[in-house]
Amino acid sequence: MELYINGETVELEVKTLIDIVKHYGLEKDLVVTEVNGEIVDRSNWEDTMVEPGMKIELVHFVGGG
């Protein structure tokens, strides 16, 4: 399905928000997700179904100095 992730159109076959986080190989403890302008709590990722056309932002925090 077609999704908009971090401002880019991508084609992914996923069902839930956690599938997207796993697809990109992100550490879930270091990621904040936003779907259609609303932040989705990490505890709800497995229950958040993805639909075509959703706008998703993934913010991955990186440590360092």
Side-chain angles (χ1 to χ4, degrees), residues 13-57:
E13 293 304 320
V14 292
K15 293 183 179 179
T16 65
L17 194 53
I18 190 72
D19 294 336
I20 295 173
V21 172
K22 289 179 180 177
H23 172 81
Y24 285 102
L26 302 174
E27 291 186 43
K28 66 180 186 178
D29 293 338
L30 301 176
V31 176
V32 173
T33 60
E34 182 182 284
V35 176
N36 294 334
E38 298 208 11
I39 293 176
V40 178
D41 189 89
R42 186 174 296 119
S43 64
N44 295 324
W45 289 357
E46 290 185 28
D47 299 325
T48 302
M49 302 303 291
V50 178
E51 298 176 10
M54 280 184 155
K55 294 180 181 176
I56 298 168
E57 296 290 327

